């Protein structure tokens, strides 16, 4: 039975999991409307967690019909914090939120409505500073959501 990779459903499951574990934090997908046109600056009010797909890697499982793949959907989980008092406090709040996100996602199994599979979340190395300015601080955590994808040669 074909399972495909269900990218939109995977992102939705990530957002729901994070929202359920991070009360008081805005959790949603990143959109083009989240950036200031002139400067490219992120204009979402922290505390917030934004989820964006960066790519999907498919590796053949070497079946003779080339229909089964190991899928790794790569997301950036962007965490933002803000303090009205000091820039240093905003940075601490962003890092604390990042730490909570790591705790929620490490090894999590996602429930997808269209599949019996439960893809697993793996944290990736390379946390990066996305934006640091006078108003807020953003860090990006790379993750991979791994599963097996089965495709149909007879898709219509």
């Amino acid at each position: 039975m074909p399972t495909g990779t269900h990218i939109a459903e995977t992102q939705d499951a990530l957002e729901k999991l994070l929202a359920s574990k991070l009360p008081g934090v805005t959790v949603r997908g990143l959109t083009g409307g989240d950036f200031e046109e002139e400067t490219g600056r992120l204009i979402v009010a922290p505390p917030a967690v934004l989820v964006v797909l960066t790519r999907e890697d498919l590796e053949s499982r070497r079946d003779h019909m080339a229909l089964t793949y190991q899928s790794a959907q790569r997301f950036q989980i962007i965490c933002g914090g803000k303090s009205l008092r000091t820039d240093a406090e905003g940075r601490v709040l962003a890092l604390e939120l990042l730490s909570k996100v790591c705790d929620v996602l490490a090894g999590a199994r996602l429930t997808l409505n269209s599949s019996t599979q439960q893809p697993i979340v793996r944290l990736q190395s390379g946390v990066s500073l996305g934006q640091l300015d006078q108003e807020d601080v953003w860090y990006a955590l790379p993750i991979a959501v791994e599963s097996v994808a089965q495709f149909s040669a007879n898709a219509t």
Side-chain angles (χ1 to χ4, degrees):
M1 172 183 224
T3 60
T5 58
H6 308 288
I7 295 170
E9 196 174 348
T10 301
Q11 181 166 338
D12 186 55
L14 281 168
E15 291 171 17
K16 285 179 180 174
L17 174 62
L18 288 164
S20 73
K21 302 290 185 180
L22 301 170
V25 175
T26 300
V27 178
R28 62 180 177 76
L30 180 68
T31 69
D34 293 329
F35 297 93
E36 196 172 75
E37 271 187 50
E38 295 167 7
T39 64
R41 185 179 160 278
L42 195 56
I43 53 172
V44 176
V49 173
L50 304 172
V51 179
V52 63
L53 176 74
T54 56
R55 73 177 196 268
E56 179 178 34
D57 298 328
L58 294 170
E59 183 178 323
S60 176
R61 298 286 298 266
R62 302 192 194 280
D63 64 52
H64 70 284
M65 299 210 31
L67 298 175
T68 306
Y69 293 82
Q70 183 67 37
S71 166
Q73 296 169 358
R74 311 287 179 174
F75 290 88
Q76 291 285 329
I77 309 299
I78 304 167
C79 303
K82 178 178 188 169
S83 171
L84 298 176
R85 290 182 270 194
T86 68
D87 291 344
E89 187 174 294
R91 189 171 40 258
V92 168
L93 292 173
L95 288 169
E96 286 174 353
L97 180 56
L98 180 70
S99 180
K100 289 177 187 174
V101 165
C102 287
D103 192 48
V104 169
L105 292 180
R109 294 229 175 236
L110 302 178
T111 301
L112 305 182
N113 294 330
S114 64
S115 175
T116 57
Q117 289 190 63
Q118 286 191 305
I120 189 167
V121 179
R122 296 193 192 278
L123 305 181
Q124 305 291 290
S125 62
V127 170
S128 61
L129 177 64
Q131 177 174 306
L132 174 63
D133 60 30
Q134 295 167 333
E135 297 185 26
D136 38 62
V137 180
W138 296 89
Y139 290 97
L141 169 70
I143 66 165
V145 179
E146 298 176 352
S147 65
V148 174
Q150 179 71 47
F151 296 96
S152 170
N154 301 316
T156 57

Short mmCIF file of all heavy atoms in Angstrom, two decimals, residues 35-43:
data_model
loop_
_atom_site.label_atom_id
_atom_site.label_comp_id
_atom_site.label_asym_id
_atom_site.label_seq_id
_atom_site.Cartn_x
_atom_site.Cartn_y
_atom_site.Cartn_z
N PHE A 35 7.78 38.38 6.86
CA PHE A 35 8.98 39.18 6.66
C PHE A 35 8.62 40.59 6.21
O PHE A 35 7.70 40.78 5.40
CB PHE A 35 9.90 38.54 5.61
CG PHE A 35 10.42 37.20 6.03
CD1 PHE A 35 9.76 36.03 5.67
CD2 PHE A 35 11.55 37.10 6.80
CE1 PHE A 35 10.22 34.79 6.07
CE2 PHE A 35 12.04 35.87 7.21
CZ PHE A 35 11.37 34.71 6.84
N GLU A 36 9.36 41.55 6.72
CA GLU A 36 9.20 42.94 6.29
C GLU A 36 9.72 43.04 4.86
O GLU A 36 10.83 42.59 4.57
CB GLU A 36 9.99 43.83 7.24
CG GLU A 36 9.65 45.28 7.18
CD GLU A 36 10.35 46.03 8.29
OE1 GLU A 36 11.58 46.24 8.15
OE2 GLU A 36 9.68 46.39 9.28
N GLU A 37 8.94 43.64 3.98
CA GLU A 37 9.32 43.69 2.56
C GLU A 37 10.65 44.39 2.31
O GLU A 37 11.49 43.89 1.56
CB GLU A 37 8.23 44.42 1.76
CG GLU A 37 7.16 43.49 1.25
CD GLU A 37 6.21 44.20 0.33
OE1 GLU A 37 6.66 44.88 -0.61
OE2 GLU A 37 5.00 44.06 0.56
N GLU A 38 10.86 45.52 2.92
CA GLU A 38 12.04 46.33 2.61
C GLU A 38 13.33 45.77 3.20
O GLU A 38 14.38 45.83 2.59
CB GLU A 38 11.82 47.76 3.10
CG GLU A 38 10.70 48.45 2.35
CD GLU A 38 10.26 49.75 3.01
OE1 GLU A 38 10.91 50.19 3.99
OE2 GLU A 38 9.26 50.30 2.55
N THR A 39 13.25 45.23 4.41
CA THR A 39 14.47 44.80 5.10
C THR A 39 14.66 43.29 5.13
O THR A 39 15.75 42.81 5.40
CB THR A 39 14.48 45.30 6.55
OG1 THR A 39 13.38 44.68 7.25
CG2 THR A 39 14.36 46.81 6.61
N GLY A 40 13.59 42.52 4.91
CA GLY A 40 13.68 41.08 5.02
C GLY A 40 13.68 40.60 6.46
O GLY A 40 13.88 39.43 6.74
N ARG A 41 13.45 41.52 7.40
CA ARG A 41 13.46 41.22 8.82
C ARG A 41 12.20 40.43 9.22
O ARG A 41 11.11 40.72 8.76
CB ARG A 41 13.52 42.53 9.60
CG ARG A 41 13.66 42.38 11.07
CD ARG A 41 13.73 43.78 11.73
NE ARG A 41 13.41 43.67 13.11
CZ ARG A 41 12.16 43.63 13.59
NH1 ARG A 41 11.14 43.72 12.80
NH2 ARG A 41 11.96 43.50 14.88
N LEU A 42 12.38 39.43 10.06
CA LEU A 42 11.27 38.64 10.57
C LEU A 42 10.41 39.53 11.46
O LEU A 42 10.93 40.20 12.37
CB LEU A 42 11.82 37.45 11.35
CG LEU A 42 10.89 36.30 11.69
CD1 LEU A 42 10.22 35.73 10.44
CD2 LEU A 42 11.67 35.21 12.40
N ILE A 43 9.10 39.55 11.24
CA ILE A 43 8.23 40.46 11.99
C ILE A 43 7.14 39.72 12.77
O ILE A 43 6.03 40.20 12.91
CB ILE A 43 7.59 41.53 11.07
CG1 ILE A 43 6.89 40.87 9.88
CG2 ILE A 43 8.63 42.53 10.61
CD1 ILE A 43 6.08 41.84 9.03
#
